[in-house]
Amino acid sequence: MSVLEVRNLHVTYGSGNRAVPAVRGVDLSLAGGQKLGVAGESGCGKSTLALALLRLLPASARLTGEIMLDGEDVLTMKWGRLRAVRWAGASIVFQGAMHSLNAVHRVGDQIAEPIMLHRKSAPAEAKRRVGELLQHVGLPAARADAYPHELSGGQRQRVMIAMALACDPQLIVADEPTTALDVMIQAQILRLIEQLVAEKDISLLMISHDLGVLADTCDRLAVMYAGRVVEEGPARAVYGRAEHPYGRALAAAFPRIGDPASRRAPRGLPGDPPDPSALPSGCTFHPRCTLALDSCSEQDQELVTAGEGRRAACVLVGAGTAGRGPARAGAGTEKQL
């Protein structure tokens, strides 16, 4: 059974007299105990998607579609029900722990707050639970008395994970949880998240720009570009051999440790994602795509089957040639990403 079903989700921000689309027709499914990664550059709609799952977006955002969390549509929930679902049904680990934690409250009090609110626990019971949670994420229970500024970046992120686990949710959304951390601490936090999700049989939706991190952590991977999912499939398969040119470009941008070819010839992707208020016609990736056909500037592509358990939104996938080099004779300007 699916813990999370996102169906035709659109998120549009009001900007003056213009409507700016940030998420455009996203469909995702996440089963119980499954780990789904969402990848893409900054500005592709990943964080907007994450915040939309629990209606944490500003009032200027307009949402349509369905977000089914354990069979209930988050978008139609009344405020009281939504408040009950947050923390207890699903929780979020934000990317900036220092900005998410209250600087003038001890971290133990901040973890205890949702426990007392949702579990109706007495202060003494909540304090005991806080100590258990901190030890579970590798921190001494005594650190509950610390203020956020007294903790290192990795310790603050562990506090955020402890807080996310406080009410035993079915789903954790991790929005770039290791962005501000050094490489060694990143690895520790990722191992911790993976271990806790496995132990508690929690579903995980993790957001990152790094396909390698998601491939190592998640079961499935969805690649977003300009507010849409352009590829989805098993994480290792998408990372190792993406069918969409954008997925291949993202994977190539991160050299593989121990692979001399990628280390000596790193490849990037010139340019930036399009401004959501001025999206190009046709396939939104075509201005940056070295495999683009003439028709790509005129017709957008829907997700189509691209192998067992895989989908991709590229005209070359429909032709059976995506990921295999130039698709047409005489396309002298095309080259493999």
Side-chain angles (χ1 to χ4, degrees), residues 144-187:
D145 292 330
Y147 289 94
H149 71 273
E150 296 176 314
L151 302 176
S152 69
Q155 290 174 327
R156 287 194 292 266
Q157 204 63 22
R158 288 171 187 266
V159 168
M160 290 296 298
I161 295 170
M163 192 180 301
L165 294 169
C167 298
D168 295 318
Q170 292 180 288
L171 169 67
I172 289 182
V173 180
D175 183 8
E176 300 268 15
T178 61
T179 296
L181 307 177
D182 63 63
V183 175
M184 294 299 292
I185 302 301
Q186 281 186 32

Side-chain angles (χ1 to χ4, degrees), residues 258-280:
D259 179 8
S262 65
R263 180 172 60 84
R264 294 169 183 165
R267 291 177 290 171
L269 179 61
D272 298 295
D275 183 341
S277 64
L279 294 173

Side-chain angles (χ1 to χ4, degrees), residues 3-4 30 49-51 53-56 69 74 82-94 111 114 118 129 133 159-175 177 193 197 200 202-207:
V3 170
L4 177 69
L30 185 57
L49 171 64
L51 295 173
L53 298 181
L54 286 174
R55 281 169 49 187
L56 295 172
L69 183 61
V74 172
L82 179 62
R83 190 167 183 251
V85 165
R86 292 171 177 169
W87 295 107
S91 57
I92 295 184
V93 178
F94 295 101
I111 300 173
H118 290 282
R129 172 70 172 155
L133 288 165
V159 168
M160 290 296 298
I161 295 170
M163 192 180 301
L165 294 169
C167 298
D168 295 318
Q170 292 180 288
L171 169 67
I172 289 182
V173 180
D175 183 8
I193 291 174
V197 167
K200 296 179 174 292
I202 298 172
S203 299
L204 172 70
L205 190 149
M206 179 178 284
I207 290 172

Side-chain angles (χ1 to χ4, degrees), residues 21-314:
V23 172
R24 304 182 298 129
V26 166
D27 293 289
L28 290 173
S29 178
L30 185 57
Q34 191 178 52
K35 296 169 288 185
L36 172 66
V38 179
E41 296 168 280
S42 297
C44 286
K46 307 185 304 299
S47 292
T48 292
L49 171 64
L51 295 173
L53 298 181
L54 286 174
R55 281 169 49 187
L56 295 172
L57 293 168
S60 60
R62 179 173 177 267
L63 288 77
T64 61
E66 292 181 331
I67 301 173
M68 306 301 294
L69 183 61
D70 198 24
E72 292 186 81
D73 190 353
V74 172
L75 299 187
T76 61
M77 286 180 182
K78 295 186 180 298
W79 169 244
R81 178 57 184 157
L82 179 62
R83 190 167 183 251
V85 165
R86 292 171 177 169
W87 295 107
S91 57
I92 295 184
V93 178
F94 295 101
Q95 60 180 289
M98 194 61 186
H99 302 295
S100 302
L101 295 169
N102 192 319
V104 299
H105 289 281
R106 300 181 192 275
V107 296
D109 295 336
Q110 297 183 59
I111 300 173
E113 183 177 0
I115 298 172
M116 291 189 290
L117 176 65
H118 290 282
R119 291 190 164 189
K120 310 300 181 185
S121 298
E125 174 60 22
K127 183 176 181 180
R128 184 191 64 78
R129 172 70 172 155
V130 168
E132 291 178 351
L133 288 165
L134 288 176
Q135 290 178 332
H136 209 53
V137 299
L139 289 176
R143 300 306 281 162
D145 292 330
Y147 289 94
H149 71 273
E150 296 176 314
L151 302 176
S152 69
Q155 290 174 327
R156 287 194 292 266
Q157 204 63 22
R158 288 171 187 266
V159 168
M160 290 296 298
I161 295 170
M163 192 180 301
L165 294 169
C167 298
D168 295 318
Q170 292 180 288
L171 169 67
I172 289 182
V173 180
D175 183 8
E176 300 268 15
T178 61
T179 296
L181 307 177
D182 63 63
V183 175
M184 294 299 292
I185 302 301
Q186 281 186 32
Q188 293 175 17
I189 295 298
L190 289 171
R191 283 197 301 269
L192 174 64
I193 291 174
E194 195 170 6
Q195 175 188 343
L196 293 174
V197 167
E199 286 179 357
K200 296 179 174 292
D201 197 31
I202 298 172
S203 299
L204 172 70
L205 190 149
M206 179 178 284
I207 290 172
S208 178
H209 61 278
D210 190 332
L211 265 69
V213 165
L214 296 177
D216 288 338
T217 307
C218 299
D219 306 313
R220 295 186 62 79
L221 180 59
V223 179
M224 287 188 70
Y225 187 78
R228 295 186 62 189
V229 173
V230 297
E231 182 161 3
E232 182 188 3
R236 298 303 305 181
V238 173
Y239 177 58
R241 191 174 180 278
E243 292 288 342
H244 194 283
Y246 180 61
R248 295 203 297 279
L250 279 184
F254 293 90
R256 293 171 173 82
I257 295 176
D259 179 8
S262 65
R263 180 172 60 84
R264 294 169 183 165
R267 291 177 290 171
L269 179 61
D272 298 295
D275 183 341
S277 64
L279 294 173
S281 61
C283 171
T284 51
F285 185 60
H286 86 265
R288 304 171 73 190
C289 181
T290 57
L291 295 173
L293 308 179
D294 293 340
S295 61
C296 294
S297 63
E298 302 168 359
Q299 183 176 355
D300 203 354
Q301 300 298 315
E302 300 295 328
L303 287 166
V304 297
T305 300
E308 185 176 355
R310 301 183 64 175
R311 299 185 301 163
C314 179

